[in-house]
Amino acid sequence: MPTLKKLTIIWVLAALGLSFASQVSYDSWRRYSPGKIGVDYNVYIEPQPPSPAIARGLSFGANEALADWYWLTLIQYYGGGTPNGKYRKLAEMFDLVTELAPKFASVYETGLVILPGEGFADEAIALGAKGERNLPNSWQPPYYTGLVHHIYKKDYLAAAQAFDRAARSPDAPANAKYFAGIYYAEANSRQTAYLIFKNISESSDSELVRERATKYLGQLELMFFLEEVIDRFQARYNRLPTDLSELVRVDLLKSIPTNPLGRVLEINPQSGEVQEQKK
Amino acid sequence: MTTTLKALGGRLRGQIRLIWLIGLNTFKETIRDRILYLIVVFSIIVIAATLLAASVSLGQDVRVIKSFGLQAMLFLLLVITVFSGTQLIWREIERQTIYFILTKPVSREIWLLGKYLGLALTVTLVGLIMGTEFLILLKVKGVLELIPTIATICFILLESYLVIAISLFFSSFAAPLSSAIYTFLVVLVGHSSSTLWLISQKASPAIKYLLETIYYLFPNLEKFNLRNELIYGLTVDRAQLLAVLGYFVGYSLVLLLLALAAARRGEY
């Protein structure tokens, strides 16, 4: 006949076993059962961030601590692997954290690096814009936004403008101006690019940046010079030259000057402008 | 004239001594509730949890330690304040010890002020223990900015003293559970003051007037919140400190005077 004490121990062990088994079963259901519960996405593993207004209203002054809480949740979410192919709540999480802690600089940088790769390029750009508003003296938000415009949107003018804004911050790396110049050139805002490169070549602390900017400046000057010669050709023959070597053949040039950047230049057959040969 | 002044001075000294004695007694009583053990164990858990959270924060460990640590400190102090503060008066009535005290030459006002002082001493001790732990943690991490951190902790203590006054005010006329709930709600409203103000500025004139009245009527506990600023390198401004101190003194006085008035009515 078991004593009451023994019975109690047996019951406690049984109850512990039951709670453990239920926990394991619940976890398996949460993690692996989207198909079975009839949803195309497992809402049980992804965070469900509240709207920023609600979160702010209910933070009761602990908005920075709450932002940190959601920051840790975001890291766990992103670090936990993609649930069903897409981090649906990633952009919302970045938005929420930066609404709760508008001056949390590192979140903007991380968001601008991570979000575009996960299919949130527009949200990343919006995050960058928010970062520029909330941290007006920081060069990072526009700098990283510039990269997003370049890599994910192929919008070189917007990239150039973003780098230009970054370069206005006193702590900005010297290459911000340099990048602005490159992208203005890519976007064909060559006059702006010229001014920026000129400024960099005269003012940058970095010898490498100065040297590179001078070479870009040289290429732009070469392009402007060649376009003047093309104008003279057009005035004489009433058509565009077929290529740059024709300018030499008709004696408008003795030879084609060397491009300091070493890139091959060509004439755009539509506009007559000189451009870098597409690779 | 001089004799009258001397007599008055002597009486005042006597009353201050009485307040001190009751305060000391209340302090011992609350400490005897094993509050300190609980706090020490809990704060060790909080520090461990904070360090763990900081370690997975992608290089934001200092930020997380500061925000979680200070928030936990405020939370713990408020828990002690709300629960002890609302129990203090009730317990004396329940055990009927208040009648024993009031038969002595001790007025209800002195007794209530003593209670306030006693709980303030407990909160100060607990705040000092947790504050020291926090300072050591930051020092070990090599990120201690001494003056701003001490100012932030002092403001947390000031807020707790104000909440003691709130809880004593409520418990001077309400049952312990009700006064704990009222105090808790007032603390929540007090920390939503900026939201309240923002909503009032967008509301229709009548609602705006109502919300602004609530804004000025309820304690603005966000004034004591330097916790958010400490994360971004707080610079302590003397004018701000004085304004907050003035607010603390003014608002606490109002609450204590109202609580004293309730005590004088002799509802217990």
Side-chain angles (χ1 to χ4, degrees), chain B residues 93-107:
Chain B
I93 299 166
E94 182 80 358
R95 292 179 189 164
Q96 301 196 332
T97 42
I98 183 172
Y99 305 110
F100 176 69
I101 296 166
L102 293 178
T103 50
K104 310 264 175 202
V106 176
S107 64

Side-chain angles (χ1 to χ4, degrees), chain B residues 84-98:
Chain B
S84 299
T86 50
Q87 297 266 332
L88 274 181
I89 294 178
W90 171 80
R91 197 186 290 168
E92 296 257 6
I93 299 166
E94 182 80 358
R95 292 179 189 164
Q96 301 196 332
T97 42
I98 183 172

Side-chain angles (χ1 to χ4, degrees), chain A residues 21-88:
Chain A
S22 316
Q23 178 71 40
V24 170
S25 147
Y26 178 80
D27 285 351
S28 327
W29 169 74
R30 241 172 67 128
R31 287 176 192 144
Y32 309 113
S33 62
K36 284 179 213 156
I37 54 176
V39 288
D40 58 358
Y41 194 83
N42 196 340
V43 291
Y44 297 97
I45 5 176
E46 70 175 5
Q48 302 295 326
S51 80
I54 288 177
R56 247 199 324 267
L58 295 179
S59 67
F60 301 112
N63 48 310
E64 296 291 340
L66 197 60
D68 286 353
W69 172 260
Y70 279 113
W71 171 240
L72 294 176
T73 311
L74 193 161
I75 294 167
Q76 300 309 310
Y77 176 45
Y78 190 63
T82 330
N84 281 23
K86 188 167 176 173
Y87 294 100
R88 295 194 312 177

Side-chain angles (χ1 to χ4, degrees), chain A residues 186-204:
Chain A
E186 288 278 354
N188 220 6
S189 299
R190 293 186 306 186
Q191 288 300 334
T192 320
Y194 182 82
L195 290 174
I196 291 175
F197 279 127
K198 194 159 174 53
N199 186 9
I200 298 169
S201 67
E202 288 164 4
S203 66
S204 174

